[in-house]
Amino acid sequence: MAPTVRHTVVDSPYEPLTLVAVDGVLSRVHMTGQRHRPPEESFGEPDPRPFGEAIRQLDAYFAGELTAFDLPLHLIGTPFQKRVWEQLLRIPYGETRTYGELAEELGSPGSSRAVGLANGKNPVSIIVPCHRVIGAGGGLTGYGGGLDRKQRLLAFESGAAEPDALF
């Protein structure tokens, strides 16, 4: 039997976010204009019911009241991508890691380029915090949602921007 795919669109300080669930479990969060955004026909029927808790936690995050998401996720990717995404979930709010540091933490030193590619394919923006990964020299590098959004998210998490300043 084919999985049931549903989606909803919610407002955020970063333009609308499209949330997609597979069999009732959050699978993707996409920003408008995001690189690697799949075609809209893959989002399934509109239905806000599977997303109540995800919306509540995203609202609390954007209000500056939540620093760690606690949601079941249905991550679809290769085994290596899933390992990278699980490692992203371990980066604390307000902190960053380099691609090289992530590769070391995964036990794969020298695979920073592969880590970067997996990071760029993260299907659950913001909740799986790929925006917390920076270049070796500390500079901002690629972000599927755009470097402006990455910079704004990092500034928000570091306390350099008020939540309402993001709108």
Side-chain angles (χ1 to χ4, degrees), residues 97-105 108-112 115 133-134 136:
R97 297 288 184 277
T98 67
Y99 296 100
E101 288 171 333
L102 280 178
E104 292 266 341
E105 291 169 6
S108 299
S111 67
S112 58
V115 166
V133 183
I134 59 174

Side-chain angles (χ1 to χ4, degrees), residues 56-121:
R56 187 191 72 69
Q57 289 189 34
L58 281 165
D59 286 346
Y61 170 82
F62 291 127
E65 301 164 356
L66 181 80
T67 60
F69 292 93
D70 184 18
L71 294 167
L73 299 173
H74 179 83
L75 299 174
I76 301 168
T78 68
F80 182 76
Q81 287 171 333
K82 289 179 182 181
R83 286 182 53 222
V84 171
W85 301 335
E86 290 295 326
Q87 198 64 37
L88 294 175
L89 290 167
R90 293 183 178 99
I91 303 172
Y93 180 93
E95 293 185 22
T96 59
R97 297 288 184 277
T98 67
Y99 296 100
E101 288 171 333
L102 280 178
E104 292 266 341
E105 291 169 6
L106 287 165
S108 299
S111 67
S112 58
R113 197 165 270 171
V115 166
L117 290 171
N119 192 59
K121 296 277 188 161

Side-chain angles (χ1 to χ4, degrees), residues 27-72:
S27 174
R28 301 186 311 223
V29 175
H30 299 292
M31 298 176 180
T32 54
Q34 178 178 338
R35 193 175 11 163
H36 305 300
R37 182 181 167 114
E40 302 234 352
E41 31 308 336
S42 72
F43 296 168
E45 296 295 319
D47 181 357
R49 290 177 295 173
F51 304 101
E53 184 60 16
I55 293 168
R56 187 191 72 69
Q57 289 189 34
L58 281 165
D59 286 346
Y61 170 82
F62 291 127
E65 301 164 356
L66 181 80
T67 60
F69 292 93
D70 184 18
L71 294 167

